[in-house]
Amino acid sequence: GAAAATGVGEAAVPTVVSYFERTMNRFSTPEDIFGPLSLKALENDRYERQVAGFLPTARVAFLDEVFKTSPALLNTLLAVLNERTFDQGNTRMRVPLRCCVGASNELPDSDETSALFDRFLLRKIVQPVSDARLGDLLLRRSFASSKSNGGRLASPSRKEEAKLSNANVAAVKAQAETQVQVGDWVVRLLGDLRREVNSALDHPENAQSVFGAGGASSAMGGGGGPG
């Protein structure tokens, strides 16, 4: 969690990209994530939130202990992550979210949190640092900092080159739209895969032929906490 927060925060400093970070828990409220209710809007019979500085206005977000999200937040959070929309009163607004990184010390344990898990497309299980390698981790950080600038700490301008800006994201998106092509065979393969999975769900006795002998463990091995 600490490493993920540091990495995401370094890549998207608030002065470069709007950034939002929260640690979730069972008692988290919509005000913690989506902003407080607007008292001025209530005076005019409108149920709206002051979303500036909260998740609905962020381009990059980090949610720690994401599977501890309270039930009161789940439906709205799912819409933000999947559809990139947020219901602001009687208006459905588009959110500028480009990337949301989540971390968790536990795997989903309910249908609701499993749906949240599905929203994270890239997943990685990170094992704790072993006692034998802890020294390497600490020394690597200090060594890399000094080596990067001839024995001195890296200058702010050098670090600034690694920042993620809106222009960076727009350029990558434009390049992907023109250069990444999905062939017909990919569409057919996904259709076949969907039919096989649906068949396995309808007939559990056929599940092993679809997922293989290592089904659940191999799937989790490639996934785990969202990253």
Side-chain angles (χ1 to χ4, degrees), residues 155-171:
S155 65
S157 60
R158 180 68 175 272
K159 289 187 65 177
E160 197 65 31
E161 296 176 0
K163 304 305 180 188
L164 178 67
S165 68
N166 294 333
N168 297 146
V169 175

Side-chain angles (χ1 to χ4, degrees), residues 97-170:
L97 187 66
R98 295 288 188 180
C99 174
C100 181
V101 177
S104 177
N105 290 317
E106 57 193 39
L107 293 174
D109 57 1
S110 67
D111 291 341
E112 291 79 9
T113 52
S114 293
L116 181 59
F117 179 74
D118 288 340
R119 285 353 187 238
F120 292 91
L121 302 182
L122 303 178
R123 305 162 188 169
K124 176 67 177 178
I125 288 181
V126 179
Q127 300 295 338
V129 178
S130 66
D131 293 341
R133 299 301 301 275
L134 180 60
D136 293 341
L137 175 66
L138 299 176
L139 292 174
R140 183 182 296 115
R141 180 176 178 84
S142 59
F143 177 74
S145 298
S146 61
K147 184 179 179 181
S148 63
N149 198 24
R152 301 182 300 276
L153 293 178
S155 65
S157 60
R158 180 68 175 272
K159 289 187 65 177
E160 197 65 31
E161 296 176 0
K163 304 305 180 188
L164 178 67
S165 68
N166 294 333
N168 297 146
V169 175

Side-chain angles (χ1 to χ4, degrees), residues 175-182:
Q175 186 176 8
E177 289 175 346
T178 58
Q179 297 186 13
V180 177
Q181 298 181 356
V182 179

Side-chain angles (χ1 to χ4, degrees), residues 11-179:
V13 170
T15 56
V16 181
V17 171
S18 52
Y19 175 65
F20 178 81
E21 177 181 331
R22 280 293 184 276
T23 298
M24 313 296 285
N25 61 70
R26 300 297 183 190
F27 305 102
S28 295
T29 65
E31 286 73 20
D32 298 328
I33 309 301
F34 308 118
L37 289 174
S38 171
L39 298 181
K40 289 185 177 180
L42 287 175
E43 291 176 355
N44 296 309
D45 297 328
R46 299 198 314 273
Y47 190 86
E48 297 179 356
R49 295 187 179 278
Q50 297 179 359
V51 297
F54 290 86
L55 183 61
T57 60
R59 286 186 176 271
V60 177
F62 173 65
L63 302 178
D64 198 8
E65 296 298 344
V66 66
F67 295 134
K68 292 181 179 178
T69 300
S70 65
L73 295 173
L74 273 175
N75 287 338
T76 306
L77 184 57
L78 291 175
V80 170
L81 295 180
N82 199 49
E83 286 83 27
R84 297 296 196 265
T85 60
F86 175 75
D87 289 337
Q88 177 69 302
N90 60 0
T91 302
R92 177 158 293 182
M93 59 177 281
R94 298 289 300 177
V95 300
L97 187 66
R98 295 288 188 180
C99 174
C100 181
V101 177
S104 177
N105 290 317
E106 57 193 39
L107 293 174
D109 57 1
S110 67
D111 291 341
E112 291 79 9
T113 52
S114 293
L116 181 59
F117 179 74
D118 288 340
R119 285 353 187 238
F120 292 91
L121 302 182
L122 303 178
R123 305 162 188 169
K124 176 67 177 178
I125 288 181
V126 179
Q127 300 295 338
V129 178
S130 66
D131 293 341
R133 299 301 301 275
L134 180 60
D136 293 341
L137 175 66
L138 299 176
L139 292 174
R140 183 182 296 115
R141 180 176 178 84
S142 59
F143 177 74
S145 298
S146 61
K147 184 179 179 181
S148 63
N149 198 24
R152 301 182 300 276
L153 293 178
S155 65
S157 60
R158 180 68 175 272
K159 289 187 65 177
E160 197 65 31
E161 296 176 0
K163 304 305 180 188
L164 178 67
S165 68
N166 294 333
N168 297 146
V169 175
V172 171
K173 181 179 179 181
Q175 186 176 8
E177 289 175 346
T178 58
Q179 297 186 13

